[in-house]
Amino acid sequence: MTPAQLRAFATVVRLGSVKAAAESLQVSEAAVSMQVAQLRRELNDKLFTRTRSGLAFTPGGLRLASRAAEILGLQDRTVREVRQAGRGRRLLQLAASSLFAEHCAAGLIELFAGRAADLDVELRVCDPASFGVLLHSREVDIAIGPTPRQPDHSLLYQDFLNYQILSVAGPAHPLADISASASQLAGQTYFLGPSGVGKEGTIPALLTRLRVPESHQRIFQSEAAALEETKRLDAIALAVRFAVSTDLAAGRLIQIAGPGTHAPGTWCAATLPEHSRPAAASELLRFITTPRAIQAMLRGSGITVGRFKPSVHVTLWS
């Protein structure tokens, strides 16, 4: 069983056809079919059959698909670790939701990485729905985002920081001085950062509860950009309380009152079980609940995520 065979099979599983796998791997269909055929002979299992609706996988094929992703992830990770070790460095790969990345990641990473001179931290901003896949494939070592509604019981979760989402607007907004009704709230325009996209997290849940149609939602490249536009125009933003406390105190923003206009949330760290994760991930898991770490996340370190090298990797989703 070779890495090339596993990669071919894993790509077939991911894309659902030999043709699509060949295009993705930039090889011929015959080459992909040959790699899969060699796996079938070695394992004495058909792995999958073709049906009118697509590929139907055998129980052995499904098990191999899971193991293939894990093995290939370990292979890629080993290559990176060997290269890092050759330079006397360790690498911690962190995935984070956009909301946590923008408001808390910079302070946490700066403080944590500063404790170890040989540690580099690579931050990837992505959809929390992909955390399980990224962890199991070893593409990341630890993932931080909202507490999942349906946890993966093969992962370890640790809640570490509570926060609150508020509905805020500029002081001249029509709903500024009243307790808005549900219909009034649903009819407003909402300026949102990337955290407004997707289904996981406090902000998507709050939008659903307020029954805000997608036509009334405008997505900006960052939470900060959405808030700046909210100060100028008649729109509502959903913001983390500690991130807008200064603007609220100064009167640049006001809190909108009404049913369902605020919601509590909890940030959670997810990792593989202790025996399967690197030591740096275990260190961060212990460090993240300390008073110093909480203070750094809430107050920041005066830098942005762009400070870290390699640069932040951003995964966009529809």
Side-chain angles (χ1 to χ4, degrees):
M1 187 184 304
T2 68
Q5 293 167 357
L6 292 174
R7 197 172 299 280
F9 180 72
T11 308
V12 170
V13 173
R14 179 167 57 87
L15 300 179
S17 76
V18 172
K19 180 179 180 181
E23 292 175 353
S24 175
L25 295 171
Q26 298 183 333
V27 297
S28 66
E29 290 184 50
V32 173
S33 296
M34 181 184 71
Q35 300 282 15
V36 172
Q38 290 170 343
L39 282 174
R40 283 171 163 163
R41 285 195 298 271
E42 181 175 347
L43 299 172
N44 193 27
D45 191 306
K46 287 185 177 181
L47 302 180
F48 63 82
T49 57
R50 291 180 175 85
T51 68
R52 288 185 177 181
S53 58
L55 300 181
F57 292 89
T58 67
L62 292 174
R63 177 62 62 85
L64 178 62
S66 174
R67 285 288 184 261
E70 183 176 340
I71 291 168
L72 291 169
L74 282 171
Q75 180 190 30
D76 293 340
R77 176 179 179 80
T78 300
V79 171
R80 290 192 298 270
E81 288 182 343
V82 169
R83 289 173 179 169
Q84 290 290 112
R87 297 194 296 269
R89 309 292 301 172
R90 292 183 297 152
L91 175 65
L92 176 68
Q93 297 179 105
L94 168 65
S97 66
S98 61
L99 196 66
F100 182 84
E102 182 166 345
H103 293 299
C104 298
L108 174 65
I109 295 172
E110 179 78 356
L111 185 60
F112 179 69
R115 299 164 69 247
D118 66 335
L119 180 65
D120 291 327
V121 178
E122 181 176 296
L123 175 65
R124 177 183 299 191
V125 183
C126 54
D127 184 357
S130 68
F131 283 176
V133 172
L134 294 172
L135 287 164
H136 285 299
S137 65
R138 269 63 172 189
E139 292 184 56
V140 301
D141 305 311
I142 187 167
I144 298 178
T147 301
R149 291 176 296 173
Q150 296 180 324
D152 180 340
H153 296 294
S154 64
L155 298 175
L156 174 68
Y157 295 96
Q158 179 170 297
D159 293 339
F160 64 89
L161 183 61
N162 295 325
Y163 61 95
Q164 190 173 45
I165 296 296
L166 304 178
S167 299
V168 298
H173 193 279
L175 302 184
D177 298 318
I178 66 172
S179 180
S181 67
S183 60
Q184 286 176 313
L185 292 166
Q188 301 302 310
T189 298
Y190 286 75
F191 288 173
L192 308 165
S195 59
V197 180
K199 298 180 180 180
E200 289 287 338
T202 307
I203 288 181
L206 200 153
L207 289 169
T208 299
R209 190 159 63 247
L210 291 171
R211 298 184 179 180
V212 180
E214 287 190 11
S215 58
H216 288 190
Q217 301 175 30
R218 287 186 57 191
I219 307 297
F220 290 78
Q221 64 182 2
S222 68
E223 310 292 330
L227 283 170
E228 284 304 310
E229 289 300 295
T230 300
K231 294 173 186 177
R232 300 190 308 104
L233 302 172
D234 287 341
I236 294 176
L238 302 180
V240 181
R241 178 186 285 275
F242 67 76
V244 295
S245 58
T246 301
D247 284 326
L248 289 172
R252 292 185 291 269
L253 289 171
I254 55 95
Q255 183 176 346
I256 297 294
T261 54
H262 60 277
T266 302
W267 276 310
C268 171
T271 67
L272 293 171
E274 186 171 5
H275 65 273
S276 300
R277 63 179 182 248
S282 296
E283 292 168 16
L284 180 57
L285 205 59
R286 290 190 293 269
F287 179 72
I288 206 169
T289 59
T290 64
R292 289 186 65 205
I294 298 298
Q295 184 180 48
M297 286 184 277
L298 295 179
R299 297 185 180 180
S301 60
I303 60 171
T304 67
V305 291
R307 147 75 170 75
F308 303 107
K309 295 183 180 181
S311 301
V312 172
H313 294 263
V314 180
T315 301
L316 302 178
W317 61 96
S318 60

